[in-house]
Amino acid sequence: MSTSLLYHAFGIRGYQYTRTDYQGGQTIFTIRQAPETCRCSACGSPAVHSRGRLERRFRTVPIGRRPTFVALPVPRVECQACGAVRQVEIRFADPRRSYTKSFERYALELSRRMTIRDVARHLDVSWDTIKDLQKRDLSRRYAKPKLKHLRQIAIDEIAVAKGHRYLTVVLDLESGAVVFVGDGKGADALGPFWRRLRPSKAEIEAVAMDMSAAYRGAVSAHLPKATIVFDHFHVIQLYNDKLSQLRRDLYREATEVLHKEVLKGTRWLLLKNPENLDAQKDEKARLEEALALNQSLATAYYMKEDLGRFWEQPGKRFATAYLNDWIGRAEASGIKMLKQMAKTLAGHRSGLLAYYDAMITSGPMEGTNNKIKTMKRQAYGFRDHEFFKLRILAIHETRYALIG
Ligand SMILES: [Zn+2]
């Protein structure tokens, strides 16, 4: 080892190499700072008197499989200008960190391809050390996304834990980036978003959301000029929930064993897009068998396909007629589930038709939700809620491998 290798291998410059020790499988380089280079860490004055040294040890990039440390007796100096006694500034490590900046860069680089657990194991540090390191990096990069350019957004809630803990996520529909993660659901969760949005002077034109009242009032109040769109994705999601409920009710009411059997495995088939039904698994035939046995299930199923075509109309005038027709048929069907759905859609007509003013959908939110769910399953990271939120803010760039 030499003073110049210290610089080229570990990014440590301005110190003198003293010696190398090998203890318990570790390599320790001791370095020193020449007294004449000491400055006051507060005012930068070179007019200082030495007041002893404090031995500190910093983890740095390993050499091979050996954990490697840099030991430095950090000079304490009394500043003639300030009159105070302080440690001099350490240039190769952040204050209060017990590892070097080059270690930090290396760990972040590994984090792009390895889970936190793997990085921690490889570098012989704790899971929390790597997590904290990622957290500071994510915080620098993503904690305050720029909002000025926002034009079209989607707002949605996601369940993040058993016990019904929720987060509210705002997505930039143009870039696909998550631009806000708030605690809880409903209007209150958006408070910090509005506080950051106002000074950005963003001109948001359209907002996609579900039909629940959760965010509607808050959006109308804060973005009076924005078009609110109750989007395709959420309407079909709601419909699918009701369709599943109908199937469950029919199953419970069915008295014949055969009838029950046929209904049993159809839940996922009912929710699938017809073009995605797997011919090799006989899915289409199984679905048709179940529908043939249950008139109301069949009606509800085909009415879903019809409803889907509401978003394929050539313009708002056609769409209005189409929606009215659908609502009329659903009301006349005599099926409770369809009547409820008709009532809900009728009550949200203008927000549904608004799709033809601003053609947006929360579809991209689904992809984000799926990524969040995957991350959630690696539930380890969960102990640090702020970290989890930062990871969501960075999710579109997949900056780091899964939490693990
Ligand atoms: Zn000073």
Side-chain angles (χ1 to χ4, degrees), residues 40-45 48 79-84 86:
C40 169
S41 58
C43 73
S45 166
V48 295
C79 175
Q80 292 178 9
C82 316
R86 297 188 176 89

Side-chain angles (χ1 to χ4, degrees), residues 92-148:
F92 57 82
D94 280 335
R96 294 187 304 279
R97 301 287 161 230
S98 61
Y99 41 79
T100 66
K101 288 177 184 170
S102 61
F103 178 83
E104 184 164 353
R105 281 192 296 273
Y106 184 56
L108 289 174
E109 193 55 42
L110 293 178
S111 293
R112 304 190 73 138
R113 308 197 180 270
M114 294 158 67
T115 63
I116 295 178
R117 189 185 315 231
D118 289 341
V119 177
R121 204 170 281 165
H122 178 67
L123 295 177
D124 193 33
V125 295
S126 71
W127 192 93
D128 283 315
T129 299
I130 300 303
K131 184 264 291 174
D132 286 339
L133 213 135
Q134 285 191 12
K135 188 177 173 180
R136 285 201 309 283
D137 183 59
L138 290 172
S139 181
R140 276 192 296 268
R141 291 171 193 275
Y142 299 101
K144 298 257 151 49
K146 297 238 183 309
L147 303 179
K148 190 181 171 18

Side-chain angles (χ1 to χ4, degrees), residues 16-253:
Q16 293 162 343
Y17 167 70
T18 313
R19 65 169 200 277
T20 304
D21 296 290
Y22 304 97
Q23 295 171 356
Q26 301 179 340
T27 305
I28 302 149
F29 298 114
T30 301
I31 60 174
R32 65 187 286 271
Q33 182 167 3
E36 61 273 20
T37 65
C38 290
R39 303 282 180 271
C40 169
S41 58
C43 73
S45 166
V48 295
H49 295 303
S50 178
R51 289 288 178 266
R53 289 166 189 271
L54 180 78
E55 171 94 16
R56 286 185 64 187
R57 195 175 274 205
F58 303 87
R59 186 180 288 269
T60 190
V61 180
I63 300 178
R65 296 196 51 82
R66 295 178 80 97
T68 302
F69 294 84
V70 172
L72 171 69
V74 183
R76 286 162 54 85
V77 296
E78 181 173 348
C79 175
Q80 292 178 9
C82 316
V85 176
R86 297 188 176 89
Q87 285 183 40
V88 301
E89 187 190 355
I90 295 155
R91 279 163 278 176
F92 57 82
D94 280 335
R96 294 187 304 279
R97 301 287 161 230
S98 61
Y99 41 79
T100 66
K101 288 177 184 170
S102 61
F103 178 83
E104 184 164 353
R105 281 192 296 273
Y106 184 56
L108 289 174
E109 193 55 42
L110 293 178
S111 293
R112 304 190 73 138
R113 308 197 180 270
M114 294 158 67
T115 63
I116 295 178
R117 189 185 315 231
D118 289 341
V119 177
R121 204 170 281 165
H122 178 67
L123 295 177
D124 193 33
V125 295
S126 71
W127 192 93
D128 283 315
T129 299
I130 300 303
K131 184 264 291 174
D132 286 339
L133 213 135
Q134 285 191 12
K135 188 177 173 180
R136 285 201 309 283
D137 183 59
L138 290 172
S139 181
R140 276 192 296 268
R141 291 171 193 275
Y142 299 101
K144 298 257 151 49
K146 297 238 183 309
L147 303 179
K148 190 181 171 18
H149 61 281
L150 288 182
R151 294 293 175 268
Q152 301 181 331
I153 59 173
I155 302 176
D156 204 358
E157 68 198 26
I158 52 163
V160 286
K162 292 199 180 94
H164 303 283
R165 199 158 58 129
Y166 289 90
L167 291 175
T168 291
V169 174
V170 179
L171 201 70
D172 176 356
L173 284 175
E174 288 170 311
S175 71
V178 175
V179 292
F180 174 77
V181 182
D183 292 308
K185 57 178 179 175
D188 290 349
L190 285 171
F193 179 64
W194 305 129
R195 283 195 286 282
R196 287 196 29 237
L197 188 68
R198 207 170 306 121
S200 80
K201 301 238 178 353
E203 289 170 21
I204 294 180
E205 293 157 1
V207 185
M209 63 176 80
D210 67 16
M211 290 185 289
S212 75
Y215 303 114
R216 191 182 184 177
V219 171
S220 303
H222 287 91
L223 303 172
K225 288 183 196 158
T227 303
I228 293 176
V229 179
F230 299 129
D231 67 278
H232 186 176
F233 169 72
H234 277 115
V235 173
I236 295 301
Q237 199 176 46
L238 177 69
Y239 199 105
N240 277 337
D241 288 347
K242 290 188 182 296
L243 194 57
S244 295
Q245 184 60 50
L246 177 65
R247 188 198 64 92
R248 270 198 302 278
D249 292 346
L250 290 170
Y251 179 80
R252 213 177 34 242
E253 288 160 14

Side-chain angles (χ1 to χ4, degrees), residues 3 38 54 60 66 112 133 140 218 222 224 255 259 272-273 277 307 312 333 384:
T3 298
C38 290
L54 180 78
T60 190
R66 295 178 80 97
R112 304 190 73 138
L133 213 135
R140 276 192 296 268
H222 287 91
T255 46
H259 199 154
K272 260 187 165 180
N273 270 332
L277 289 170
L307 182 59
E312 296 165 9
S333 69
D384 185 336

